[in-house]
Amino acid sequence: MRQYEAVIGLEIHAQLDTRTKIFCGCSTVFGAPPNSQVCPVCLGLPGALPVLNRQAVDHAIKAALALGCEVQPASVFARKNYFYPDLPKGYQISQYDLPLASHGSLTFGTSEGALTVGITRAHLEEDTAKLVHATGADGSKVSLVDFNRSGAPLMEIVTDPDVRTAEQARRYAEELQLLMRAIGASDADMERGQMRVEANVSLRPRGDEAFGTRVEIKNMNSFRSVERAIAHEIDRQAAALDAG
């Protein structure tokens, strides 16, 4: 087997600790009956206009400063267009060209010593609704949509491609959760979906500078699954590269 080096970048979505959603006055309380915390704005009904939640911005700035980021004097929201049952408007309000903050870092301990991971950007966006896959009364498979989560305030924190092992990725996520909780920006409870991890993984021959072809692993909701999924993907890619 050839010797490869993994190149890993992480995207973490943390739900900000606000009483109401990012663009409307609906509650963000967890565990309410399905579709009981909705309004024309978070349902994406025609003519409804968003109004930005100041507390969400304050929490995001606090987190950006804790990560040593440069908070920009101006940032812009954009439409991220895609079509999926959990996205009522057909687009997500997010930030792209001009994010809230950029160029930070987070230092944490690993089994190989301290590691500093760069933060490329940190921006605000709204969460999607939640799909619930169930069995109907007649035994058929059905998918239900709960819009209570639609419009919940998210902060997406994107790293530089500085992570090299599955353990480092897990430790980064653990440290980021501790930071978000310590400053009161997010409860970051993974069991409740308040923190979700996505990883971009590629391999390259050791000594090479060029990146390989990356694969994105989506919506991991436990530290154990982060480490196991990335380790599995590293092994899978190495076997594929060895096979040509």
Side-chain angles (χ1 to χ4, degrees):
M1 178 181 289
R2 296 175 66 190
Q3 292 297 306
Y4 300 106
E5 177 183 56
V7 178
I8 303 164
L10 299 170
E11 303 171 12
I12 292 186
H13 295 81
Q15 180 178 327
L16 297 171
D17 188 16
T18 61
R19 293 189 302 275
T20 57
K21 297 181 181 181
I22 189 169
F23 295 119
C24 68
C26 291
S27 172
T28 56
V29 172
F30 181 80
N35 297 309
S36 63
Q37 299 178 166
V38 295
C39 73
V41 174
C42 55
L43 288 174
L45 299 184
L49 295 175
V51 177
L52 183 58
N53 183 333
R54 177 169 181 160
Q55 189 180 27
V57 179
D58 288 344
H59 280 327
I61 290 174
K62 187 162 52 177
L65 292 174
L67 291 165
C69 292
E70 301 170 12
V71 178
Q72 303 305 315
S75 59
V76 173
F77 284 97
R79 292 186 179 191
K80 181 180 178 183
N81 291 281
Y82 65 97
F83 297 94
Y84 204 67
D86 65 6
L87 197 68
K89 295 187 295 290
Y91 63 86
Q92 179 189 33
I93 302 177
S94 183
Q95 293 185 318
Y96 183 64
D97 290 324
L98 296 172
L100 180 84
S102 56
H103 306 307
S105 65
L106 181 63
T107 301
F108 52 93
T110 75
S111 63
E112 299 175 347
L115 176 68
T116 298
V117 171
I119 305 295
T120 305
R121 57 185 285 139
H123 65 259
L124 281 164
E125 63 186 20
E126 61 179 345
D127 207 347
T128 62
K130 180 180 179 180
L131 287 178
V132 180
H133 305 292
T135 302
D138 60 355
S140 62
K141 299 294 183 181
V142 296
S143 292
L144 309 173
V145 189
D146 180 3
F147 287 99
N148 281 350
R149 196 178 71 184
S150 180
L154 294 182
M155 184 176 188
E156 181 175 356
I157 302 165
V158 182
T159 75
D160 297 341
D162 292 341
V163 178
R164 294 291 175 267
T165 69
E167 184 221 355
Q168 291 175 3
R170 174 181 58 79
R171 285 291 302 118
Y172 168 81
E174 290 172 341
E175 197 70 19
L176 185 63
Q177 183 192 61
L178 289 173
L179 183 146
M180 297 296 281
R181 288 176 170 176
I183 64 175
S186 173
D187 290 336
D189 189 335
M190 298 186 81
E191 290 78 12
R192 294 186 171 189
Q194 295 168 343
M195 178 171 154
R196 306 192 291 274
V197 181
E198 299 179 347
N200 291 285
V201 182
S202 65
L203 264 58
R204 62 185 176 188
R206 290 195 181 277
D208 282 13
E209 291 296 320
F211 292 162
T213 301
R214 68 184 181 185
V215 169
E216 186 173 20
I217 309 170
K218 304 283 284 185
N219 288 327
M220 293 176 282
N221 64 352
S222 75
F223 298 125
R224 182 170 179 263
S225 65
V226 169
E227 187 167 18
R228 292 181 68 209
I230 291 174
H232 173 83
E233 181 59 22
I234 290 172
D235 290 343
R236 189 193 71 80
Q237 289 190 28
L241 291 168
D242 287 338

